[in-house]
């Protein structure tokens, strides 16, 4: 192992895996979990006949990272290694790729698709795999793709079907699953172990070495006092109260305090209620109140002008097509107050003290003249853009030599980054042309980011897993992990709770590790049997739900104006839809096998966005609808808003391309 560069604690945690056991490696961020996994894979390939290793990751960008940084450098000269993600075409013949390779690195969804797809070129059996490595394996729960793969594994295991792959999970923290008591936390860790059919191992004999290699950063709380006066916030709340009065709140409904997550949950429920009760006044007012509440939350964390701009951007899109008195009232309310809001937002006397403290924290690190790297973790993509704008316009920060850029999740659309964009930003950070990353949670987990001198959590309410991973980014000597928060505020309280939950996680893992092998196996089997049973019950329930209504009996209505759009039976015949209007051409930063994107589409009546058109197989122009933008009306006139197509209460028939061509192009 010495020639592979493993520390003693890494050798300790892989010992049982080298004997063929299913294990979860629990090591902190920066502890070398991936390197340990590469070593296990190497030994497995050398000693197992017809070995086939599949490495699963939960984010597309981690496919390239694991391939380029770990598996290809250490195994590529000896073994055939392939990487597959939604970004390349190999996913379309994944089964063949697996047959021709010894190591395959892919996203979990691609493997799951291959396991349930019976087409020969795409299909893979679990028995084809001899070692399954699962990165960030604490995500193996609920309906995550990891868990879907492992449910297939567990079902085969309980039936006695063999062979099955050896499992190697990697995590910096399984967390407590929301539990605050030790017994419940133990139950959560056992559930993760059951889902992965694995024991959990950690450094014991060489724990002191681990602490030396991965020292914990110095933690500090940067506590600020509440603003004595906040006229911008007061004005926003007065506007919200005007909407409350206009919308005739139901007498049985009590809204929580404005500017809180609880208030946001209330107005989401109000919008659902308005949709279900055919009350457009209630539904639309609730949607606008959510925008005002977002502005209050932004004002609490960022600059007043950032909060103002969020509303200005929202209402600039609403000016085009008001369709009734509700729209007119809401639009006029903003326009009548717009000048006053902007003037208040520009008044420096009421600037956010959290921003002052953030500036002070950055200057303490970068003002010393010592070359430094730092990351600010913020909640949303919008907040990262606002913070970057603030840094670039802040004279003191620029004079201190701070060179900042954002790092956010990969995806499609203007608010996301491309995979190449992420890689370039991290490369610039590593080379020193950038020294401050302003990031969402994407940088907390998995990404290969250089050691930082300073990590700042700013305006965040997250769980103990995210906290531990963010803290693990501060790995440079004498590094600092800072929390900027208002005294007694939400972030301060949450950070203290997370500290307790981090300790509780360790206690829960210790408790699980001290169980006798017999007790552990018995408990794991019980949990697995319960999960399989519950899954079957849920699948039966979903099937019954879809069979309650025929597709033709369900009507789709525009969620904004309630205009009838189509029946459920039209979903496979969407070319007959005539109620939409066209928008901009949609550009995606990736290609697909059978289709390409067209224009965005929306409601002709109210301009609500519905989705986009697609060109299917080079000739069929079809609307691709997001069901969250519609409301379903059943035969009893009940209205149901749903978020995903899998939740609709009817069976959606598959699109028949041959029939489409015969009917539309008069083909024989």
């Amino acid at each position: 192992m010495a020639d592979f560069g493993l520390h003693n604690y890494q050798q300790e945690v892989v010992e049982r895996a080298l004997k063929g056991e299913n294990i979860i490696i629990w090591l902190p961020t920066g502890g070398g979990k991936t390197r340990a996994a590469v070593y296990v894979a190497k030994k497995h390939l050398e000693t197992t006949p017809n070995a086939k290793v599949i490495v699963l990751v939960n984010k597309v960008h981690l496919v390239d990272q694991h391939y380029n940084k770990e598996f290809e450098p250490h195994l590529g000269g000896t073994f055939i290694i392939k990487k597959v993600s939604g970004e390349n075409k190999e996913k379309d013949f994944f089964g063949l790729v697996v047959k021709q390779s010894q190591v395959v690195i892919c996203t979990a969804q691609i493997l799951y698709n291959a396991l349930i797809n019976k087409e020969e070129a795409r299909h893979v059996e679990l028995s084809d795999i001899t070692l399954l490595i699962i990165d960030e394996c604490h995500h193996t729960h609920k309906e995550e793709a990891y868990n879907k793969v492992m449910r297939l594994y567990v079902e085969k295991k309980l039936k006695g079907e063999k062979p099955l792959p050896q499992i190697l999970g990697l995590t910096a923290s399984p967390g407590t699953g929301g539990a605050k008591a030790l017994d419940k936390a133990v139950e959560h860790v056992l559930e993760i172990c059951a889902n992965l059919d694995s024991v959990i191992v950690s450094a014991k004999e060489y724990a002191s070495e681990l602490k030396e290699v991965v020292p914990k950063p110095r933690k500090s709380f940067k506590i600020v006092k509440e603003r004595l006066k906040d006229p911008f916030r007061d004005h926003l709340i007065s506007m919200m109260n005007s909407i409350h009065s206009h919308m005739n709140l139901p007498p049985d409904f009590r809204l929580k305090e404005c500017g809180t997550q609880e208030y946001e949950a209330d107005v989401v429920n109000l919008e659902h209620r308005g949709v279900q009760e055919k009350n457009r006044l209630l539904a639309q007012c609730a949607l606008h109140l959510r925008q005002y509440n977002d502005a209050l939350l932004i004002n609490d964390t960022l600059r007043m002008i950032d909060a103002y701009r969020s509303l200005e951007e929202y209402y600039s899109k609403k000016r085009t097509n008001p369709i009734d008195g509700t729209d007119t009232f809401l639009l006029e309310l903003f326009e009548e107050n717009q000048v006053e809001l902007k003037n208040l937002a520009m008044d420096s006397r009421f600037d956010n003290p959290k921003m002052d403290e953030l500036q002070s924290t950055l200057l303490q690190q970068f003002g010393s003249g010592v070359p430094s790297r730092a990351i600010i973790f913020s909640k949303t993509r919008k907040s990262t853009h606002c913070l970057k704008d603030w840094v670039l316009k802040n004279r003191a920060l620029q004079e201190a030599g701070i060179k900042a850029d954002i790092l956010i999740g990969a995806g499609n659309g203007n608010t996301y980054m491309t995979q190449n964009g992420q890689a370039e930003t991290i490369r610039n950070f590593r080379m020193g042309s950038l020294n401050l990353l302003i990031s969402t949670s994407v940088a907390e987990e998995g990404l290969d980011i250089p050691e930082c001198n300073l990590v700042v959590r700013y305006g965040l309410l997250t769980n103990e897993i995210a906290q531990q991973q963010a803290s693990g980014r501060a790995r440079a000597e004498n590094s600092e992990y800072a929390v900027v928060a208002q005294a007694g505020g939400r972030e301060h309280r949450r950070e203290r709770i997370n500290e307790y939950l981090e300790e509780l996680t360790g206690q829960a893992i210790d408790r699980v590790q001290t169980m006798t092998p017999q007790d552990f196996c018995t408990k794991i089997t019980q949990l697995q049997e319960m999960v399989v049973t519950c899954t079957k019950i849920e699948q039966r329930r979903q099937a019954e739900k879809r069979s309650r209504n025929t597709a033709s009996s369900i009507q789709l209505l525009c969620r904004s104006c309630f205009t009838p759009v189509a029946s459920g039976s039209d979903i496979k015949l969407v070319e007959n839809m005539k109620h939409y209007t066209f928008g901009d051409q949609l550009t995606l930063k990736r290609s697909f096998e059978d289709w390409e994107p067209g224009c965005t589409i929306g409601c002709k009546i109210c301009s609500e966005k519905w989705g986009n058109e697609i060109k299917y197989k080079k000739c069929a122009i079809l609307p691709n609808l997001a069901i969250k933008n519609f409301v379903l009306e059943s035969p009893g006139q009940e209205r149901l808003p749903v978020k995903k197509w899998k939740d609709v209460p009817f069976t959606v028939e598959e699109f028949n391309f041959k029939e489409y061509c015969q009917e539309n192009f008069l083909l024989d």
Side-chain angles (χ1 to χ4, degrees), residues 6 374 533:
L6 294 190
T533 300

Side-chain angles (χ1 to χ4, degrees), residues 424-486:
E424 183 180 358
T425 298
I426 294 171
R427 183 166 55 251
N428 290 338
F429 190 60
R430 182 177 289 107
M431 299 299 292
S433 56
L434 294 174
N435 54 20
L436 174 64
L437 293 183
I438 304 168
S439 179
T440 55
S441 59
V442 67
E444 289 174 346
E445 186 174 272
L447 276 176
D448 181 30
I449 292 174
E451 296 176 347
C452 293
N453 307 88
L454 173 68
V455 167
V456 183
R457 279 171 64 82
Y458 188 75
L460 281 176
L461 289 169
T462 55
N463 62 20
E464 71 282 6
I465 297 176
Q467 176 183 306
Q468 287 173 254
Q469 290 174 327
S471 174
R473 294 298 173 193
R475 299 200 297 269
E477 188 176 353
N478 298 320
S479 58
E480 180 182 7
Y481 171 75
V483 179
V484 177
Q486 185 176 298

Side-chain angles (χ1 to χ4, degrees), residues 535-549 646 648-651:
T535 300
K536 289 178 179 176
I537 291 171
E538 178 60 21
Q539 290 171 343
R540 194 176 302 123
R541 189 186 71 80
Q542 289 291 342
E544 289 172 356
K545 176 183 174 181
R546 287 190 291 269
S547 66
R548 287 178 200 151
N549 302 287
K646 68 181 181 63
V648 299
F650 62 92
T651 300

Side-chain angles (χ1 to χ4, degrees), residues 209-227:
E209 181 194 46
L210 174 60
K211 289 180 180 179
E212 290 177 10
V213 174
V214 190
K216 283 196 171 186
R218 180 179 79 261
K219 186 169 186 176
S220 63
F221 283 92
K222 310 291 186 176
I223 303 302
V224 300
K225 295 180 180 179
E226 187 176 1
R227 275 185 264 203

